[in-house]
Amino acid sequence: MTQTVEELQNQYQQLKRIYDNYAAHPLNLNIKRGIPSKEQLQLSGPMLGLLSSPNDFLSQGTIDIRNYGELTGIHEAKKLFSELLETEMDEILIGGNSSLSLMHLVITSKLFTKKAGRSFNEPVKFLCPSPGYDRHFAMTENLGIEMIPIELTENGPNMAEVKQLVANDSTIKGIWCVPTYSNPTGITYSDEVVDQLASMETKADNFMILWDNAYLVHHLTKDKHAAKNLLTACKAAGNPDRAWMFCSTSKITFPGAGVAALGASKKNIALVAKELSYQTIGFDKINQMRHVKFLKDKNHIAQHMEKHAAILKPKFELINEKLSHYFVDKKSLKWTEPKGGYFIHLTTENGYATAVVEALAKIGVAVTEAGATYPHGDNPMDNSIRLAPTSVSLPDLAIAMDALCLCIDYVSVQKRVSL
């Protein structure tokens, strides 16, 4: 039912009074980044005391992990991560605590070293399915790589768009992908999309797929989603060197003291290992062994992640309940209901997202900047907001969601009043 001007004005004044009260007594809540809560971190506390006897510091019974060496990781860690990423052991490289640093290493090894042989006057472009992970885009921009936004559908990147671009432009060297419980929408790539990525014709013979499997085991429900194995698909398509798969324990154990891994062809592992040899003699092998002894194998990881899900699932359910209750008869907002991962994505009316985020900031609720999940932070529709509810308590999240619902309604009515 269409509101009269008077009804709209009255609604605006009511909402403004509530908003002004928040502004007079601002909150201090942050749902900006996907950070594990203290309760989640405590789940991995026992890991810190696992290494004590001399034998605990021996890899394969003879290699002292307290010393130099084992550039690509200890045998035990390679075995664990090869099981997780479904690769051969010699298709795995173990890094430090950051998968992002491995991604940076891969890009520079493949495109920006003397061995890569690229002219630095030659432009380089990456495809960026959007909305996507802001840190991927920030790294790409920092490396001077041109970013081409690509629509992210419920099944993955818009493949008609992707295939047309890569088939006709040799300067397009790669594509960013978060295949399982994608950041921020929570979608999982379909088998068809994975097969098309693996087999499509590309003008660049060194095209790479940067496959950030950050949420590989981060399920919230019994309905566990998983994208098809990219390296296997690329091998079947005759493009084994196209796949670069990443994962880490950042949201399994400790983000600040985890272990990251790269899965790729033997040729690609050798390429990256050579570049890595100029930077380090080896990563923290003690931490690798600690993780192996704690996580053990894929089945034990699944059991561990069920404990995470028990903490996180009520937070995601609360958000859905709040939004469903507040916007039951309204069309001004759409939101995702992910089966896993760390985020919920809101789609506001076009032109509203920035105003909503700014309104929240003024009353003490921090969310990810509007448009941050697009290259250069530029979302032409200005309708994208990412929520990261994991680090806050359930009561605080409820307060933050009440404030969010108010701000969405307040901004919507405010804009309609000003028309």
Side-chain angles (χ1 to χ4, degrees), residues 310-325:
I311 296 170
L312 293 179
K313 186 180 177 183
K315 298 180 181 182
F316 284 79
E317 290 175 339
L318 183 148
I319 290 178
N320 187 55
E321 290 168 5
K322 288 280 187 181
L323 295 176
S324 297
H325 175 75

Side-chain angles (χ1 to χ4, degrees), residues 21-40:
N21 186 58
Y22 270 103
H25 306 89
L27 304 167
N28 182 24
L29 299 173
N30 191 321
I31 50 174
K32 188 172 185 176
R33 300 221 67 90
I35 302 172
S37 65
K38 291 181 180 179
E39 291 79 10
Q40 290 174 265

Side-chain angles (χ1 to χ4, degrees), residues 152-166:
L152 183 69
T153 74
E154 62 182 12
N155 295 311
N158 183 325
M159 288 309 299
E161 193 177 1
V162 169
K163 289 191 287 187
Q164 190 276 329
L165 286 167
V166 300

Side-chain angles (χ1 to χ4, degrees), residues 115-411:
K115 189 171 183 178
R118 187 184 72 84
S119 168
F120 282 84
N121 293 321
E122 176 190 357
V124 177
K125 304 170 186 173
F126 271 25
L127 303 183
C128 300
S130 303
Y133 184 26
D134 51 334
R135 292 195 186 276
H136 289 165
F137 302 155
M139 181 191 301
T140 312
E141 182 176 8
N142 185 62
L143 288 168
I145 297 172
E146 180 182 337
M147 294 182 283
I148 303 175
I150 299 293
E151 178 193 14
L152 183 69
T153 74
E154 62 182 12
N155 295 311
N158 183 325
M159 288 309 299
E161 193 177 1
V162 169
K163 289 191 287 187
Q164 190 276 329
L165 286 167
V166 300
N168 295 289
D169 190 343
S170 63
T171 66
I172 298 177
K173 303 294 187 181
I175 183 171
W176 286 110
C177 297
V178 183
T180 299
Y181 305 131
S182 186
N183 178 353
T185 62
I187 64 101
T188 296
Y189 288 22
S190 69
D191 290 354
E192 182 182 8
V193 164
V194 177
D195 287 337
Q196 289 183 73
L197 286 167
S199 62
M200 64 187 181
E201 295 293 325
T202 64
K203 193 79 177 285
D205 58 8
N206 57 348
F207 184 83
M208 64 179 76
I209 302 173
L210 296 160
W211 198 252
D212 186 357
N213 232 329
Y215 308 103
L216 178 64
V217 294
H218 299 70
H219 311 291
L220 290 171
T221 72
K222 298 298 182 183
D223 183 14
K224 298 179 179 180
H225 294 186
K228 187 175 182 178
N229 185 284
L230 178 68
L231 182 57
T232 301
C234 285
K235 288 178 180 178
N239 297 309
D241 299 330
R242 184 176 291 183
W244 299 86
M245 307 189 301
F246 307 87
C247 72
S248 79
T249 66
S250 288
K251 295 179 176 69
I252 298 175
T253 56
F254 304 124
V259 177
L262 162 67
S265 68
K266 297 174 188 177
K267 178 182 175 182
N268 282 340
I269 293 296
L271 171 72
V272 173
K274 181 64 176 177
E275 181 63 21
L276 187 61
S277 70
Y278 298 116
Q279 303 175 31
T280 182
I281 301 175
F283 288 108
D284 185 345
K285 298 181 291 298
I286 293 176
N287 197 35
Q288 291 175 27
M289 184 65 80
R290 194 160 48 195
H291 275 76
V292 170
K293 288 184 177 293
F294 180 67
L295 297 175
K296 298 178 182 177
D297 54 34
K298 193 173 182 177
N299 288 334
H300 195 266
I301 290 173
Q303 295 171 23
H304 179 68
M305 294 311 294
E306 286 179 2
K307 298 175 184 177
H308 280 265
I311 296 170
L312 293 179
K313 186 180 177 183
K315 298 180 181 182
F316 284 79
E317 290 175 339
L318 183 148
I319 290 178
N320 187 55
E321 290 168 5
K322 288 280 187 181
L323 295 176
S324 297
H325 175 75
Y326 201 93
F327 296 99
V328 61
D329 294 323
K330 302 179 182 180
K331 299 179 181 180
S332 58
L333 185 73
K334 296 179 182 177
W335 61 92
T336 57
E337 299 178 47
K339 302 292 186 180
Y342 259 55
F343 305 100
I344 287 177
H345 182 254
L346 308 181
T347 303
T348 69
E349 294 182 68
N350 292 346
Y352 283 28
T354 298
V356 170
V357 171
E358 290 175 349
L360 280 166
K362 290 176 182 177
I363 61 174
V365 179
V367 299
T368 306
E369 291 81 0
T373 55
Y374 287 75
H376 305 292
D378 180 18
N379 170 19
M381 306 298 285
D382 189 19
N383 64 353
S384 172
I385 298 175
R386 185 183 75 179
L387 303 182
T390 55
S391 66
V392 297
S393 69
L394 208 58
D396 281 349
L397 181 61
I399 295 170
M401 289 307 301
D402 287 339
L404 172 68
C405 293
L406 167 68
C407 287
I408 293 170
D409 216 8
Y410 177 57
V411 167

